[in-house]
Amino acid sequence: MTIPYLKMDGIAKSFPGVQALKNVTFEASQGEILALVGANGAGKSTLMNVLGGNIEPNSGKIYINGKEVRISSPSDAAANGIAFVHQEMAMLPTMSIADTMYISSFPYKHGLIDYKTIYQRCRVVLKRLGCNFDPRERIRNISPGDQQMVEIGRALLHDPQIIIFDEPTSSLTSREKEHLFEVIRTLKQEGSVIIYISHFLDEVFSLCDRVMVLRNGETAGGGLVSEYTNRDIVKMMIGEKEIDTYYERSEHRAGEEIMRVKGIYRSGVINDISFSLRKGEVVGLWGQLGSGRTEVARALVGLDPIDGGTISIKMGDQMMPVKQSETKKYIGMITENRREEGLLLPMSVCNNMSLANLTNLTKKKPFSSVIDSKLENSETDKYVKRMDIKISSQAQRVETLSGGNQQKVIIGRWLQKNPPIYIMDEPTRGLDVGAKADIRRIISDLAEQGAGILVISSEIEEIMSVSDRYLVMKRGSIVAEFGSNASKEDLVATATGAASKKE
Amino acid sequence: MTKKQHNFSLRDFLFTYGFLLVLLLVIVYFSVTAPSFFSMNAAMSILHTAAPLLIIASGLAFVIMTKRIDISVGSIAYLSAAIGALMISRMGLPIPLAVVSMLVLSCLMGVLNGFFVVILNVNPMIATFGTQLAFRGIGLLLTNSMVVSLPRSIRFLGNKKVGPIYIDILFSLFILLIMMLIHSRTQFGRQVVAIGNDISIAEKLGIKEKRISFFAYVVCGLMAGIGAIIMSLQVGSVTPTSGTSYEFTAIAMLVIGGVSLYGGEGTILPGVLIGGITLAVIETGLNYIGASVYVYSFVRGGVIFVSMFADSLKTQVKPKVKIMEDEPTTVSNAQ
Amino acid sequence: GEEKTVKVCVSWNEKVHSLIQAWQDYMEMYAKELEPTTGIKYEWIVNVANGDANLQNNNIQDCINQKVDYIVARAQDSGTIGASIKAAEEAGIPFITFDRASTSGDPTAHVGEDGYLQARSTAEAFAKLLKDNGIEGKCIELQGDLLDNTAVLRHKAWAEVEKELGAWTTVAEVPTEWKPEKFYQGALNALQANPDANCMYVASDFAFSSVENALSAVDKDAPTGDPKHIWIAADDINPMGYEAMVNGIIDVGTTWEAYSVSVLLVDTLNKMVNGEPYEKVNLISGRLATPENVQTLEYLYSTDPKYAD
Amino acid sequence: MSILNSGVTQQLSKKDSKEAADIYWTRYLPYIVLVVVFAAVSIFVPYFLTISNLLSVLLQTASLAILAIGQAAVLILGGIDLSMPGVMALGSIFGAMYMRAGGNPVLGAVIMLLVPAALGLINGISVSYFGMIPFVVTLAMQAITIGAATMITNQISIPVPENFCNAMLTKIGGIPLPIIIVLILTLFLQFAVTKTYYGRWLYSTGTNMRTSRVSGVPTKKVVLAAYSFAGLMGGLAAIIMTSRLYAASPQMGKDAVAMDIIASAAVGGVSTMGGVGTAVNAVIGAIIITLISNVMNMANVSYYLTLVIKGIIIITFVAIDANSRKKSTK
Ligand SMILES: Nc1ncnc2c1ncn2[C@@H]1O[C@H](COP(=O)(O)OP(=O)(O)OP(=O)(O)O)[C@@H](O)[C@H]1O
Ligand SMILES: Nc1ncnc2c1ncn2[C@@H]1O[C@H](COP(=O)(O)OP(=O)(O)OP(=O)(O)O)[C@@H](O)[C@H]1O
Ligand SMILES: [Mg+2]
Ligand SMILES: [Mg+2]
């Protein structure tokens, strides 16, 4: 075997309290796509950040083409032909596409930035990604999917030899995704080293040549993708015991109607949304990325305005129309962006988990606005245990938790409040298989206990493994409804419009 | 999802430069109430009045675009002007040397601000409030609270004209032009805007955030120094109150001109220029119609309030989300 | 007589004017001069209130707590200094208002100048000057900061003399808040808005270079005798005003007597210390200055090299 | 001890607190410095350590402390209120005018309280419902209120009846009423902010408004309440200041006072970035700021140096605080 083009040797990195990487060795060759997989917090991003110059490792060496290189800044990385498509998009909303792509280093002409050249180059690069937008357009005016393309375009600007993709598909539509895969395959043919991080094993199987698995900051195995099955990889990622829960499918008994939505709309965004939700059932809201599911969810809890329509909720034994601003009292909402809208990052686990329920954690009468901290602690403890959240103490700041545990903290917050209805928008986005399974189990339990749950997910397997009923959205409208016997094909076909005439 | 052209949107334009309209209305109002207002002379004196503050505001704009603030600009202007004047009239140094030392000093004061804010992580508002006190204290100490007058031989520069135009107008427009180019056509300017968008994203993109932000304070200090030159030439002297409350006037100019205090937003030309002129038009106009002194602050507050209200509408009216999907289907919305 | 040490607290409202330093220095100087003869040794405790009436009240309270023997205060706000006067009275400390009289309380004594008489003397002389030269005045009035009682009094005197003698009409009232740049911009705008204006009242000449610059911007910066000359009355004869008067730009003004007022204060204090009778209100009226006599006036702080450059 | 801490970092576990120990002492630096300066000054400056001077310092601090408490509420939300001086002056003037016209002093005091509270409410509405930037809204409000104050009074202070002032300045057990008011207010707020869910809502909104909103915290009302509360504190300070000056003066509204208020809160340890700080912090800060000028007065320091020293002290305090906090969140 020839020497690999890229070699990272004995990389170790610790953060205060965590050993994120322990002596990891990593190799990749030109003309291959290497999948890097692992559970949340396994150290994938950290390893790649070391390569990208964003993080200084505690020890270890990097060789490119057999020569040792020092990479201590993103510009060192760029100079060595390394490009990085980050997990979290680094967009500058008020700036133009061209500025966002060139921001770290602009070409000059006559002492000023040479925009003519920049625009030309941007057009070429974006064209290659199948995008046609004007490089002068501001970032905030383009969709998240397009922003992801800009992010990728930036990585390709300087014809890199090594390209790192850290979960690039989470905000792409399936067509955009396919296009991206084609581009990646072309890059591979041109002889680049491609490192591809993803939680979607199907992507790994359809795109990648080789796989490397990280677990707890250590190499857990790897080799040619064709030699492994899905289960093998999962086993390497999370260890033996937990795989069983992975493809669980549960059925619930639906009870009486608990929420009825009638004709809510917001012009240009969602149209005439009507449906009802029953006790003890999980309704999957399915649709393509950008079909308006999030908008519906946000409208239901008054986070976005609506132009008309009514929302009724069961109170006592009657359905009562509820003002949009009041629905929050009955609905537990889990938004799709947990860092921005789900957590109080610098605050403690305890403070985060009691946030929605504070008015119920008070002392008796004359002190009815004083929080009973014993009660608060015991309630928190109860749900930490019930959901098996891994924390060192209730006072731990949530920003130091892993993504899966963070998500559980948010769910725990609502369990504590115990509303009759839940809306969960992408509750497992960015989580590893183990955490995903945990959260599905929680959803199932909730339904069993009689809650009505509306779940939005972009993963068809996931939504099919939890839902009892499906609503399919397209272009801001609900276009179809299916029972639990719906097939994958039904859902995909109605959502994409290929079979939109079918009722 | 394809866009053919960089499309011009009237709404965007109105929101960004809507103050042009207000400006026009104000001008029309004053012209009707005080006929002499609508004249070349008045226009010139408006620009002339605005000139020093325009320069100071353009420097401050860089700091504000990084989402920080500098409320010491008035004191920087005072201290550097006072030292410059002392050098010329007390120590008899040659004028060019005094001017250069003045500018170096104003940069140093910017360095100090940058050090406190960027290196020591002191909240910008508090840090520059501290330096605001300290710089003025030092200036008063050095001048012993005296009015330091400039020699007559250079005072004439304060209202020298080329044709009908004061040279300081030309000078400040020239400075604004340079600042505009720095803002929109240099890496420094672009990175300042990027930092204002989000510091941690900027860092992740490989921008040397601390270096750039620090430098923004230096630029701000330098501009306060340059503005101070024009200011003291116009007045012919440096008095202990020179530059007081300049920071708030400059901030008002920026806010009216569309430079957002949330960072990352705004232009030097036409933004800062329009903001500065609007404010100057109002003050000069009130002068022309002989309004009571007590009205000034009231009107100024009102104008800031209204322009901010317009700005808040801009952020409230979110662009309607475009529904976009994969397959363009010919089937009309099936219901 | 025998040596006696007296602690005097001087509370300045602000210190952004060299006049205040001059006052302070003259007091100390003069008291020192007298020390051998009177045997009274003064210890001066000085504080400055940053232009903040509440802070001045606090500062004076600090003096009271230090058990000073006398308090001298130049009020930031004539309407609130009464609170400090009352506090001093309760502590049994004599209180002298300096320069700005109180409208809110009754001090032990007041020492100062008469801002009204000062402006009146200027205005009357100015009216005579205009009449003598056969000029029908169209005047621009550059007012001070109307927060300051002195500025209010000057405005009042100017307006009254205008009514009484009819030597001019005021065509523009320009507020300056005592800010040099407002003097400049206000004067410039007023001159442009009223091209036929031929005279001007400048409430204080401390930043007269601003006015001169505005004049030269409209090409009217010319001394008496020049047809372009604008007749100017300006009070105080501060260093810049002095220069302008010597140059014939300012035609008439009344001096602000830093030295005499300080002397008067120390004399009053001495009387109090010795238990001699003293006047309750001690006012100095300034001397009328014109280009002819200004260089012969004695004890002008403007010509003291310590306060002028 | 936990009542002294901000609402954010609560009950540290043993492990956490050990880790944080080296960082934590710097948090208390303001208090330590306060004690050291206090001791030094008492030794070197005669009359400093007398009951009457100390009470006098506290009385001088009272209005600033109340203003700083109001400011702290807004700062904790990540906002700022530059309009406190103007709002206070206008409230004082309206109350005094009412009393001058023969109105009842009690009602006059109520007017002094409510006018600023109403103006604070306008700030709050602009910030929460119109999404306007606090800095600019309150800057405009300051310009408008100070303009209105001068227009109404023609810059001439309005005296208030002596019985009004005397009532406010009565001594209870030798301690002037304003000091007692501050003490009670501080204890009450400290309790409210650390122990009730209203306090928790304040911190959570200041830490992350969007999360709080999704979690059912009435964030708009919280913002509204904080700005109104700041206004109300402006009103309380107006009453105290007016009775100490025996007059309502438009001069109370000077722009520069706003920065003193903010500096007080910041020096005491209220973060200007939101989410951190309590009433006690604000009061300590106000005492420090007042002590600076008291000590300089007693020590007869030149005015110019006073400015420089004050600037340096403010920056130093906030720098230490900012850096200890940064370390502890790493
Ligand atoms: N800046 C940091 N400070 C402290 N700990 C960190 C930091 N960045 C990462 N970690 C920790 O290092 C470990 C590895 O994190 P990393 O982001 O590399 O995981 P990952 O494999 O990319 O996970 P994911 O699939 O969720 O993206 C985690 O325990 C994480 O909490
Ligand atoms: N942050 C955003 N900025 C701009 N446009 C957005 C944003 N989020 C969503 N959109 C756009 O709004 C439309 C509706 O999106 P919505 O989020 O409601 O759909 P969704 O089906 O939930 O998709 P997603 O899976 O992305 O959440 C889409 O066109 C989408 O591209
Ligand atoms: Mg990652
Ligand atoms: Mg969504």
Side-chain angles (χ1 to χ4, degrees), chain A residues 101-171:
Chain A
M101 287 169 70
Y102 272 94
I103 193 71
S104 55
S105 145
F106 287 92
Y108 271 73
K109 193 170 170 183
H110 309 307
L112 293 174
I113 292 176
D114 179 10
Y115 272 112
K116 211 170 145 202
T117 310
I118 289 178
Y119 290 146
Q120 261 171 12
R121 179 89 182 113
C122 283
R123 284 202 186 89
V124 169
V125 170
L126 290 171
K127 187 115 193 180
R128 185 168 175 197
L129 293 168
C131 303
N132 249 333
F133 21 74
D134 187 313
R136 284 170 298 183
E137 186 66 72
R138 290 212 194 188
I139 292 294
R140 66 162 166 229
N141 295 335
I142 66 176
S143 73
D146 291 347
Q147 291 177 14
Q148 185 70 58
M149 287 302 181
V150 172
E151 178 84 27
I152 295 166
R154 169 165 53 208
L156 301 184
L157 269 186
H158 303 290
D159 296 318
Q161 296 306 301
I162 301 169
I163 311 163
I164 307 159
F165 291 94
D166 194 352
E167 293 191 54
T169 55
S170 57
S171 42

Side-chain angles (χ1 to χ4, degrees), chain A residues 15-16 18 20 38-47 87 167 199 400-401 430:
Chain A
F15 294 108
V18 215
N40 290 121
K44 308 179 293 292
S45 298
T46 307
L47 183 65
Q87 184 170 14
E167 293 191 54
H199 284 295
T400 62
L401 297 181

Side-chain angles (χ1 to χ4, degrees), chain A residues 33 165 180-188 194 196 207:
Chain A
I33 305 176
F165 291 94
L180 175 66
F181 288 174
E182 262 160 49
V183 175
I184 293 178
R185 288 190 188 104
T186 323
L187 290 168
K188 164 185 156 180
I194 292 161
Y196 189 89
L207 182 69

Side-chain angles (χ1 to χ4, degrees), chain B residues 39-330:
Chain B
S39 64
M40 189 64 179
N41 268 341
M44 280 308 124
S45 70
I46 288 167
L47 283 171
H48 186 46
T49 303
L53 268 161
L54 276 176
I55 295 177
I56 295 176
S58 75
L60 183 57
F62 275 68
V63 169
I64 287 187
M65 282 175 192
T66 68
K67 220 175 187 167
R68 294 187 172 94
I69 205 158
D70 184 349
I71 59 170
S72 71
V73 285
S75 290
I76 296 182
Y78 167 62
L79 181 52
S80 56
I83 292 177
L86 285 177
M87 284 175 159
I88 294 170
S89 34
R90 295 274 162 80
M91 300 161 63
L93 290 183
I95 289 164
L97 184 65
V99 168
V100 170
S101 349
M102 228 179 120
L103 296 184
V104 170
L105 267 168
S106 60
C107 284
L108 282 179
M109 287 184 254
V111 165
L112 216 55
N113 280 335
F115 174 74
F116 291 136
V117 174
V118 180
I119 313 290
L120 289 190
N121 284 307
V122 182
N123 172 281
M125 178 111 167
I126 305 288
T128 56
F129 171 57
T131 54
Q132 180 197 66
L133 290 178
F135 293 157
R136 191 163 292 275
I138 296 170
L140 292 174
L141 192 66
L142 293 176
T143 60
N144 204 10
S145 287
M146 265 181 253
V147 178
V148 187
S149 50
L150 298 175
R152 277 171 192 280
S153 57
I154 54 166
R155 268 194 222 168
F156 77 97
L157 283 170
N159 40 47
K160 175 120 180 96
K161 288 183 182 179
V162 178
I165 307 174
Y166 292 96
I167 54 165
D168 55 15
I169 297 180
L170 295 176
F171 181 70
S172 69
L173 287 180
F174 173 70
I175 296 275
L176 284 192
L177 188 72
I178 291 181
M179 293 298 273
M180 188 269 268
L181 286 177
I182 293 178
H183 171 247
S184 61
R185 298 293 299 275
T186 68
Q187 182 154 311
F188 167 68
R190 297 287 80 199
Q191 294 192 342
V192 159
V193 179
I195 291 168
N197 270 271
D198 191 316
I199 287 189
S200 54
I201 286 183
E203 276 180 327
K204 209 162 104 182
L205 287 172
I207 295 173
K208 303 227 162 35
E209 187 273 318
K210 290 203 179 294
R211 187 182 299 177
I212 301 287
S213 302
F214 188 92
F215 201 56
Y217 273 99
V218 180
V219 168
C220 182
L222 178 63
M223 289 300 131
I226 297 178
I229 297 179
I230 298 192
M231 167 187 90
S232 33
L233 279 176
Q234 283 191 359
V235 176
S237 62
V238 181
T239 52
T241 54
S242 292
T244 35
S245 74
Y246 269 29
E247 53 281 352
F248 289 118
T249 311
I251 289 170
M253 283 180 164
L254 296 179
V255 166
I256 294 171
V259 176
S260 167
L261 286 164
Y262 282 142
E265 191 92 58
T267 54
I268 305 288
L269 289 177
V272 175
L273 186 62
I274 291 179
I277 291 179
T278 307
L279 214 56
V281 161
I282 289 168
E283 301 228 328
T284 312
L286 289 174
N287 244 297
Y288 267 73
I289 63 171
S292 142
V293 56
Y294 304 133
V295 176
Y296 280 55
S297 148
F298 198 75
V299 170
R300 176 187 285 191
V303 169
I304 298 175
F305 201 83
V306 168
S307 64
M308 277 324 293
F309 185 67
D311 190 56
S312 81
L313 289 183
K314 173 167 59 180
T315 48
Q316 292 216 319
V317 185
K318 278 188 217 132
K320 288 227 167 108
V321 243
K322 302 152 267 182
I323 297 287
M324 29 150 285
E325 278 175 27
D326 286 12
E327 329 296 318
T329 155
T330 47

Side-chain angles (χ1 to χ4, degrees), chain A residues 288-295 297 336 425-426 429 456-458:
Chain A
Q288 287 198 285
L289 208 74
S291 56
R293 298 162 301 170
T294 296
E295 298 288 335
E336 58 185 345
D425 192 357
E426 308 280 9
R429 173 178 283 181
I456 300 172
S457 172
S458 294

